[in-house]
Amino acid sequence: MTRGRLAPTPTGYLHVGHARTFALAAARAASGTLIYRTEDLDAGRCRPEFAAAAIEDLRWLGLKWTEGPDVGGPHAPYVQSLRLPWFREVWSLLQVTGTIYPCDKSRKDVERSLTAPHAEDDAEPIFPPALRPPLGAGREAREPGPTNWRFRVPDGETITFIDALQGPQAFVAGRDFGDFLVWRKDGFPAYELAVVADDHAMGITEVVRGADLLLSTARQILLYRALGWTQPTWAHAPLVVDADGKRLAKRTAGLSIRELRQKGKTPEAVLTASLDQLLR
Ligand code: GLU
C-alpha cells in the first residue's frame, strides 16, 4: 500500500508549481495513504501563517490527506520543528556508523543547508576532500554539540536509481556532489537528514517532489544506506517553468494559489491551465 507525502516548506504562499507537484503526489497515493508534513526547520524564513495558508490552499485544491498537523495521526507531530528529539536520535545512529564528521565551514554553507537545495540554488561547490578531517575524527562525540557535521561521501561511486517519472538516474559522489551537511552548529538537522529521518519514521513508500531535487535524492540514498533503512521509490515531477524557462519559484507574482483563487480561477484551472491563461 503506497504511503505518499506532501512536505511543504512554509516560507511563502504556495504557487501553481507546488499545486501541480502536490496534486501528482496525492494522485499517486490515491489508493493508499497521504501524509502531510510541515517542513519548518528554517525558523528565520518559515512563518506559521504560511503553514496555515498552505493547508488551506491545498484543501481548496481538493487534496485530501489522512495524517497531518491538522488531523493528527499515528506519527505525530507532523511539524518538523517539533521533531528535534527524533532528529538527534538519527544523528546518533549515523554517528555510530562512522560516516559523519564534525566540520568547521562557512556560515553561508550552513544557511543553505536549512532548506531543500532546489536545483539553481544547488551551486554549492563540492566540499574539497582535502579539507576533510582524518578518518575517525569526532568518533568519540555523543552529541552533535555546537558544530556542523558532514556526511563523508564515497568518492567516485556512482549512485543510481530509477525515477518513476524521469527514468534512470546516475550521480557520481565526489563529482556531482560532495560531503554534505547533516547537522548544523545551531542545533538543527540539515534538510537531507531531516527529510530522510521523517520519510522513514512516517513509513513513506514513495517520495514525489520536483525534479530540481533529483541530486538530493542521491545524497539521501547514501543516508538510507548508512542507516540500513529501506529507501522509498522516487518520482520527480517536471518543474513548472515560465515563458523564459525559469523555474516558477523565482517568479510567482500572480501565480500563487491564493491569488488565482481570488481571481476566480477554479482548482481545475490551477492544476491544468497554461500559465498564460492563468495570468489573464
Ligand atoms: N520541504 C521541502 C521543500 O519544500 C520538501 C522537499 C522534499 O519533498 O523532499 O522543498
Side-chain angles (χ1 to χ4, degrees):
M1 208 52 149
T2 303
R3 281 178 66 83
R5 45 67 150 190
L6 313 174
T9 295
T11 51
Y13 292 119
L14 299 183
H15 56 63
V16 59
H18 296 118
R20 291 176 187 189
T21 301
F22 289 147
L24 182 67
R28 292 182 65 93
S31 61
T33 305
L34 185 66
I35 288 98
Y36 187 112
R37 181 173 74 231
T38 298
E39 302 210 324
D40 61 344
L41 288 175
D42 186 351
R45 289 170 59 222
C46 293
R47 302 227 200 100
E49 58 268 34
F50 291 137
I55 288 178
E56 195 184 300
D57 291 349
L58 293 178
R59 287 230 183 263
W60 173 77
L61 272 181
L63 272 50
K64 295 187 180 69
W65 46 93
T66 38
E67 298 175 30
D70 53 341
V71 288
H75 302 284
Y78 292 91
V79 175
Q80 284 193 322
S81 57
L82 302 177
R83 299 177 60 80
L84 285 177
W86 167 234
F87 300 137
R88 274 194 287 269
E89 211 174 307
V90 175
W91 174 88
S92 299
L93 294 174
L94 274 176
Q95 169 66 338
V96 170
T97 68
T99 51
I100 59 174
Y101 61 85
C103 171
D104 209 357
K105 270 287 278 176
S106 80
R107 196 158 160 197
K108 204 158 175 204
D109 282 352
V110 182
E111 276 165 8
R112 283 218 198 95
S113 75
L114 269 164
T115 45
H118 292 278
E120 293 134 68
D121 319 326
D122 204 2
E124 179 180 330
I126 308 286
F127 183 78
L131 294 186
R132 279 173 177 155
L135 270 174
R139 281 309 292 274
E140 67 298 339
R142 292 288 161 265
E143 305 256 322
T147 318
N148 297 325
W149 288 75
R150 279 179 194 271
F151 184 91
R152 187 185 297 264
V153 304
D155 286 332
E157 186 182 330
T158 306
I159 311 301
T160 60
F161 58 99
I162 311 284
D163 189 88
L165 299 168
Q166 310 286 334
Q169 302 293 316
F171 295 100
V172 180
R175 189 190 77 192
D176 296 324
F177 64 100
D179 291 359
F180 56 91
L181 282 166
V182 292
W183 200 268
R184 306 160 350 105
K185 62 182 174 193
D186 60 1
F188 287 90
Y191 159 73
E192 310 288 5
L193 183 150
V195 80
V196 167
D198 276 351
D199 283 337
H200 174 75
M202 295 177 180
I204 302 302
T205 61
E206 182 177 79
V207 166
V208 180
R209 58 186 170 204
D212 53 347
L213 286 172
L214 275 167
L215 180 57
S216 273
T217 297
R219 300 183 181 107
Q220 291 168 27
I221 285 171
L222 290 175
L223 291 178
Y224 278 100
R225 194 168 83 182
L227 291 159
W229 293 346
T230 305
Q231 57 172 297
T233 55
W234 311 97
H236 289 78
L239 296 182
V240 178
V241 291
D242 68 14
D244 302 327
K246 294 237 165 53
R247 185 166 72 90
L248 209 58
K250 302 283 168 193
R251 201 195 130 282
T252 55
L255 288 171
S256 70
I257 302 173
R258 318 228 109 188
E259 282 167 289
L260 293 168
R261 175 184 177 182
Q262 277 151 14
K263 256 169 66 181
K265 302 290 179 190
T266 61
E268 199 201 345
V270 172
L271 292 176
T272 57
S274 72
L275 295 190
D276 275 356
Q277 281 170 329
L278 290 175
L279 285 166
R280 240 175 257 149

